[in-house]
Amino acid sequence: MEPTASRLFSPFDLRGVRFRNRIGVSPMCMYACGPDGLATPWHMVHLGMRAPGGAGLVVAEATAVAPHARISPADLGLWSRAHADALAPITQFISGQGCVPGIQLAHAGRKGSTRSPWIGRDAVPESEGGWQVQAPSPLLFSPLNAMPREMSEADIARTIGEFGAAAGLAFEAGFRYLELHLGHGYLAHQFLSPLSNRRTDGWGGDFEGRTRFARALAKAARAAWPDELPLAARLSITDWVEGGWTADEAVRLAGLLGEAGVDLVVCSSGAIVPGAMPPDGPIMQLPFAARVRAQAGVASGAVGQITEAAQAEQIIASGGADLVFLARAMLRDPFWAVHAAEALGAPAPWPIAYGRAVGQRQGRVQRPQRP
Ligand SMILES: Cc1cc2nc3c(=O)[nH]c(=O)nc-3n(C[C@H](O)[C@H](O)[C@H](O)COP(=O)(O)O)c2cc1C
């Protein structure tokens, strides 16, 4: 069979980085660390196995920029040289597979100091390794969470600095794509949404004030991250709640983030208050990526219930996004990208060591790129 000209399997260039195709493994919290936040063999296997699986980009989970920035005591962290050193073999392996290693930097704010989700949703007390959580305003996320302390000017300045420092460590660890987590109800989103930000100083109030923290994070990360590498941001495009953060505001912010050096906005939604989710599931987010791409002057990533090769192909081919990000489909099938290529009649990016056995029989193995 002659290979078809798949858009999903066409390369994509962002700054000095080439993605071999348009498929990204979406960041997924693993709650697999000890209290030191250091990467473990689980991360090597979980992230590593998805690179031979054919994706163009593998993004490590929401990674805390400081101990008190974690969601749970089992989160991955990046606040010291030791954290970068623990991640370096993983990025080296992923790069060696012709795949771009990426990482998402995050701060949980008022959603922090909770248990791993399979243990419970309640707050971890300080006596059990929890911490005092911080947020733009002293408003509870849910009755199960701890009451946050309102962040001072000094707290805000320190946090912006922590994002910048973590961006520098991410480069040293070998990551070549950096994503700022500005969505899903975590700290930056808590500043963006009027539902969680009731400040009356320069960090709240109107659009300008509520977006100031997110814009400052973008500037700090860009200053510490090499010019030739892509910087991305994940936004909740809407809160799905009356009186909350809106798609119009998100598109405007995406444009401002672009001016601050962000190259790509991944378009997610919801999670600022309990139950604030897309009514018919995350598939409802997909049109946001087309809107941001068309109106904000940045590249966009689509995420949410992308499961089928033809669906992903259609999103890219129709200009609906520059990259597609898959989470749960990648958990079910780490070789999703290889199988998608086969379904679309494109050269299948089997790793060379497997391709001789499984791919070349069909005569359409793509030789892996070497770094
Ligand atoms: C196990 C799991 C962990 C997740 N952790 C993160 C995360 O660390 N950062 C993030 O931005 N989204 C996270 N998400 C959301 C996914 O990245 C994705 O946006 C969402 O699952 C919708 O995509 P899907 O329908 O392909 O699963 C997580 C999702 C899952 C299933």
Side-chain angles (χ1 to χ4, degrees):
M1 181 165 57
E2 277 302 301
T4 57
S6 161
R7 294 292 300 142
L8 184 64
F9 285 91
S10 64
F12 178 55
D13 295 318
L14 213 46
R15 298 213 179 209
V17 169
R18 166 157 290 198
F19 301 88
R20 62 181 163 184
N21 58 48
R22 309 306 188 95
I23 301 165
V25 177
S26 205
M28 284 179 270
C29 288
M30 292 286 111
Y31 307 99
C33 295
D36 52 14
L38 294 171
T40 66
W42 177 265
H43 296 95
M44 172 58 100
V45 174
H46 165 70
L47 298 168
M49 77 196 291
R50 286 169 175 84
L57 166 67
V58 173
V59 187
E61 68 199 74
T63 301
V65 298
H68 62 272
R70 293 171 295 173
I71 304 169
S72 83
D75 281 21
L76 186 62
L78 186 49
W79 57 79
S80 77
R81 184 69 221 197
H83 292 86
D85 289 347
L87 287 160
I90 303 175
T91 63
Q92 211 179 347
F93 177 78
I94 293 172
S95 297
Q97 298 298 310
C99 179
V100 177
I103 189 165
Q104 187 185 55
L105 296 182
H107 191 307
R110 70 177 184 171
K111 286 176 120 176
S113 196
T114 56
R115 299 186 194 279
S116 302
W118 49 85
I119 298 174
R121 281 284 175 196
D122 53 323
V124 179
E126 290 186 45
S127 58
E128 291 178 36
W131 53 91
Q132 161 78 72
V133 294
Q134 303 174 12
S137 301
L139 297 168
L140 273 177
F141 173 67
S142 90
L144 290 174
N145 291 79
M147 176 60 88
R149 174 169 68 73
E150 180 175 294
M151 289 172 80
S152 65
E153 286 280 346
D155 292 327
I156 292 172
R158 188 182 319 110
T159 306
I160 294 166
E162 287 164 349
F163 270 86
L169 288 168
F171 176 67
E172 287 177 29
F175 290 103
R176 295 297 176 258
Y177 164 99
L178 184 72
E179 184 175 305
L180 302 173
H181 202 345
L182 309 183
H184 296 181
Y186 296 117
L187 183 65
H189 188 185
Q190 289 159 32
F191 274 92
L192 295 175
S193 176
L195 301 177
S196 45
N197 184 346
R198 301 279 164 78
R199 296 178 78 99
T200 53
D201 63 3
W203 300 97
D206 59 7
F207 173 85
E208 187 72 21
R210 283 181 285 112
T211 60
R212 188 175 161 201
F213 183 71
R215 290 182 285 113
L217 295 189
K219 282 190 205 128
R222 182 35 90 193
W225 183 244
D227 279 349
E228 64 274 17
L229 297 182
L231 177 64
R234 177 174 284 225
L235 284 176
S236 279
I237 300 290
T238 173
D239 283 346
W240 301 108
V241 177
E242 195 64 37
W245 172 249
T246 67
D248 287 346
E249 289 181 304
V251 172
R252 201 172 145 202
L253 173 60
L256 296 174
L257 292 174
E259 288 170 18
V262 169
D263 306 298
L264 177 131
V265 170
V266 183
C267 300
S268 191
S269 69
I272 191 68
V273 291
M277 299 305 278
D280 292 326
I283 202 163
M284 290 181 74
Q285 297 162 185
L286 296 179
F288 294 137
R291 184 170 167 200
V292 163
R293 188 171 187 265
Q295 298 177 5
V298 288
S300 77
V303 66
Q305 273 170 261
I306 300 171
T307 56
E308 302 301 324
Q311 177 197 15
E313 175 71 29
Q314 194 272 336
I315 291 168
I316 300 297
S318 66
D322 296 284
L323 295 177
V324 289
F325 288 82
L326 287 76
R328 290 166 295 175
M330 286 286 180
L331 295 185
R332 294 195 180 96
D333 178 9
F335 283 84
W336 188 93
V338 168
H339 295 142
E342 290 181 340
L344 295 170
W350 281 109
I352 199 156
Y354 292 4
R356 288 180 63 82
V358 292
Q360 282 184 351
R361 273 187 305 146
Q362 298 155 20
R364 40 191 170 82
V365 169
Q366 186 183 47
R367 289 182 77 83
Q369 296 164 303
R370 293 295 176 204

